[in-house]
Amino acid sequence: MRARAIMVLGTSSHVGKSLLTAALCRIFAQQGYRVAPFKSQNMSLNSAVTPEGLEIGRAQALQAEAAGILPSVHMNPILLKPSGDMSSQVIVRGKIWGKLTASDYHLRRVEELLPIVRDSYETLAAQNDIIILEGAGSPAEINLKEHDIVNMRMAELADATCILVGDIDRGGVFASLFGTIELLDPQEQDRIGGFLINKFRGDVSLLTPGIRMIEDRIGKPCLGIVPYLPHLMIDEEDSLGLPPIHSDNGDPWTPSAEPTRPLRIAVIALPSFSNFTDFDALRAEPFVSLRFCHVKEQLVHADILIVPGSKQTADDLIWMRSNCFDRILIEHAREGLVVGICGGMQILGKDIVDPHDIEHAMSIDGLGLLAIHTTMHPQKITRISYGTLIAATLFGQLTSSPAISGYEIHIGTTRYLEGAKPFARLEAGFGGESLLDGCISPDGHIFGSYLHGLFDDDAFRHTFLAAARGFYYLAPAAHMDNWQQKREESLNRLADTVRSSLDMSTLFSWAGIAYDTQSREESPQ
């Protein structure tokens, strides 16, 4: 039997579609149903790797986690990774398909990809009871509707009943709900089963008159009001979830000799910053102060400087130089700690060459902090990897847990130069090929690794933080988090809140099943 479909649409980007999709996946899974997420086309620099080594949007990997299943490339058959304001790298079923301008993609290539989208959806629909689809942006983007394959066209293909999400935190929620409905065609309006208001804080009674008025105006019922949920330890889909460029992330750091103070970690917010979720687990630690830094002044008094992953490595390196980040990094590395992740590690190396014009048609000198040379190649490396640290120390401190894990998503291979020391020995997948990863500077102050998700592993993250605190003669942290437990707690908290806020009987009726008010498991099996 083909799965029944429910679709989560939004009045705009960043209204909460991804997390509400994850919540519904968990709720249906907790009730014992086979449920899977689906987003035909995603645009994000945050991506994940499936067990088969295929690349998908990180939001769909999170939603699969919420559903209690492994991520599949069919959950996100098309991933667009912006390469600038006018073009994107197009990932189709987990592999690079091409680099296209926005107009070329929307006007000429979308129809070519529609059969692939349909096939992926039908594959999931044949394996599950319910599919929770997620739209993109707004379904009322009338300039793009003719070649839409992610909103109403996908709803029709899946025969989905849709819920429209409005974000009251952004302001203008009633106008956005009304305008979205009005810009849809009559048959598209018929697919909207109701709406919800997300991220509400305040007195609900003050909202009630407006809800009644908008229900009358658009002829759709309000299915609930979801409160604003602070401190959710769940991945953001895109950079809209980062602190704004002009935010100082709190009071500036000041000199402190207090041994119990938080460890200060500055992550350079590159223009093409990719996979910023790499640092979620660090941000959640109670004895860590982590900031995404857009200007060099924000780096003052940091203990660790991190150069993160980048979609446009050479361009981001040029940006760093033009904003004097390079000088600060080199100066800090003399006595402080520096880390590079994926493209950040390439930036810390001696040079980067790009003979195939994959990202930038030039060779460029790196910062010279690691003895490595990187060459860009057309083939992207995507794999889940496990391994161990090669050295028995980190930042000059003995390590208690040498095991590491994560996933690789990068263009380019790195060659060791004279004097280079590898960071880790990895296996690609369980029992896969053994290979070397990363690099450590001779003085042990700097390391780089290709592994995204390196800090998600509790044992390694605790080792990393303990070593860094020891390096700076800080007292051991009084407490460190269990990240996976926090993620589970956050997913359950999200699901519990959505369950208690929405008319679940109506939502379940859209899937052709009755809602069991007594059924509630802690997590899907």
Side-chain angles (χ1 to χ4, degrees):
M1 294 180 62
R2 190 174 188 260
R4 299 291 289 268
I6 295 173
M7 190 167 197
V8 180
L9 298 170
T11 56
S12 71
S13 297
H14 205 60
V15 300
K17 296 187 295 292
S18 294
L19 291 188
L20 287 165
T21 298
L24 292 177
C25 284
R26 174 135 298 196
I27 290 168
F28 278 103
Q30 287 173 336
Q31 296 249 328
Y33 294 99
R34 297 176 302 165
V35 58
F38 180 85
K39 186 167 185 175
S40 58
Q41 173 191 290
N42 200 347
M43 176 175 279
S44 178
L45 289 179
N46 274 351
S47 57
V49 174
T50 70
E52 302 84 8
L54 300 171
E55 188 176 7
I56 64 171
R58 190 158 183 85
Q60 282 62 64
L62 170 70
Q63 292 157 2
E65 181 182 344
I69 57 178
L70 293 174
S72 163
V73 73
H74 294 300
M75 297 172 183
N76 177 211
I78 302 175
L79 174 62
L80 306 178
K81 305 190 78 171
S83 301
D85 292 338
M86 300 294 292
S87 65
S88 290
Q89 183 185 82
V90 182
I91 309 294
V92 177
R93 284 194 176 164
K95 296 291 185 182
I96 294 176
W97 191 71
K99 182 178 178 179
L100 303 174
T101 65
S103 61
D104 188 23
Y105 176 76
H106 284 288
L107 299 180
R108 287 177 282 279
R109 302 303 180 95
V110 166
E111 301 299 332
E112 184 179 343
L113 295 172
L114 182 59
I116 294 173
V117 168
R118 182 185 294 111
D119 181 70
S120 284
Y121 180 80
E122 293 298 341
T123 297
L124 288 180
Q127 298 170 349
N128 292 277
D129 303 314
I130 301 154
I131 305 294
I132 309 296
L133 295 90
E134 180 188 345
S138 164
E141 291 169 348
I142 54 179
N143 57 314
L144 302 176
K145 274 184 64 176
E146 183 180 355
H147 299 287
D148 164 52
I149 60 170
V150 67
N151 287 310
M152 301 314 299
R153 192 173 185 181
M154 193 63 232
E156 181 180 1
L157 188 153
D159 193 21
T161 305
C162 304
I163 184 168
L164 181 63
V165 181
D167 176 5
I168 196 167
D169 203 45
R170 300 170 74 90
V173 67
F174 295 125
S176 62
L177 289 166
F178 180 79
T180 299
I181 294 292
E182 283 295 301
L183 287 172
L184 297 179
D185 298 333
Q187 67 272 21
E188 295 171 335
Q189 293 176 356
D190 290 343
R191 287 209 172 270
I192 308 295
F195 69 92
L196 69 83
I197 292 179
N198 196 25
K199 305 182 191 177
F200 179 78
R201 28 190 165 186
D203 185 347
V204 175
S205 66
L206 298 177
L207 192 65
T208 301
I211 290 175
R212 299 295 168 253
M213 292 173 66
I214 200 69
E215 285 180 322
D216 292 340
R217 295 289 292 270
I218 67 177
K220 307 290 181 183
C222 178
L223 299 179
I225 302 167
V226 180
Y228 180 81
L229 288 174
H231 312 305
L232 275 181
M233 305 302 174
I234 301 177
D235 310 344
E236 290 280 3
E237 180 178 31
D238 55 44
S239 59
L240 287 173
L242 283 173
I245 289 177
H246 299 295
S247 168
D248 63 4
N249 297 283
D251 295 331
W253 289 319
T254 57
S256 173
E258 173 57 51
T260 60
R261 69 168 175 82
L263 188 72
R264 298 160 173 178
I265 302 177
V267 180
I268 297 175
L270 302 171
S272 298
F273 194 166
S274 67
N275 284 60
F276 59 81
T277 52
D278 284 345
F279 310 104
D280 285 353
L282 286 172
R283 290 175 74 189
E285 287 287 350
F287 286 86
V288 168
S289 174
L290 185 144
R291 296 176 178 177
F292 296 109
C293 300
H294 301 269
V295 294
K296 64 181 187 301
E297 288 78 13
Q298 293 174 312
L299 306 182
V300 177
H301 303 305
D303 298 314
I304 306 175
L305 303 186
I306 298 182
V307 188
S310 167
K311 177 63 182 66
Q312 298 292 119
T313 310
D315 288 342
D316 281 348
L317 177 51
I318 293 170
W319 174 86
M320 287 177 62
R321 285 201 166 105
S322 67
N323 288 276
C324 301
F325 282 100
D326 58 330
R327 299 177 191 173
I328 294 175
L329 274 163
I330 292 169
E331 179 65 28
H332 183 85
R334 292 192 177 104
E335 296 184 357
L337 304 179
V338 175
V339 175
I341 301 297
C342 197
M345 178 184 72
Q346 295 173 344
I347 286 172
L348 296 181
K350 182 178 182 297
D351 58 359
I352 303 168
V353 299
D354 192 351
H356 305 285
D357 190 14
I358 305 302
E359 291 186 356
H360 201 289
M362 64 180 294
S363 297
I364 187 169
D365 289 337
L367 301 188
L369 296 176
L370 293 174
I372 55 175
H373 163 87
T374 298
T375 302
M376 298 298 188
H377 295 290
Q379 295 77 28
K380 181 179 287 192
I381 296 172
T382 55
R383 58 194 171 204
I384 296 174
S385 298
Y386 308 81
T388 56
L389 300 182
I390 290 177
T393 60
L394 184 62
F395 303 142
Q397 314 294 306
L398 289 173
T399 59
S400 59
S401 176
I404 62 172
S405 62
Y407 57 98
E408 297 178 57
I409 304 175
H410 58 92
I411 293 174
T413 57
T414 294
R415 177 169 56 88
Y416 293 105
L417 304 177
E418 184 178 355
K421 298 179 180 179
F423 174 65
R425 186 175 300 279
L426 302 178
E427 290 185 357
F430 291 103
E433 174 190 3
S434 178
L435 46 89
L436 297 175
D437 170 69
C439 185
I440 304 178
S441 63
D443 62 9
H445 291 193
I446 308 162
F447 80 79
S449 172
Y450 269 123
L451 289 186
H452 292 290
L454 181 65
F455 301 113
D456 291 352
D457 180 89
D458 290 331
F460 175 76
R461 186 179 67 260
H462 296 169
T463 296
F464 170 84
L465 295 175
R469 294 188 71 87
F471 178 88
Y472 285 108
Y473 301 102
L474 298 176
H479 172 74
M480 293 191 191
D481 280 340
N482 182 323
W483 177 240
Q484 291 305 319
Q485 179 182 330
K486 275 204 164 187
R487 283 176 66 85
E488 275 297 298
E489 290 171 351
S490 290
L491 283 169
N492 285 330
R493 177 184 165 212
L494 173 66
D496 289 345
T497 302
V498 170
R499 182 189 293 105
S500 62
S501 302
L502 301 188
D503 180 356
M504 296 309 302
S505 295
T506 295
L507 282 170
F508 270 64
S509 72
W510 294 354
I513 54 180
Y515 176 55
D516 181 0
T517 58
Q518 303 302 314
S519 177
R520 164 67 167 86
E521 301 174 15
E522 285 303 311
S523 59
Q525 301 298 311

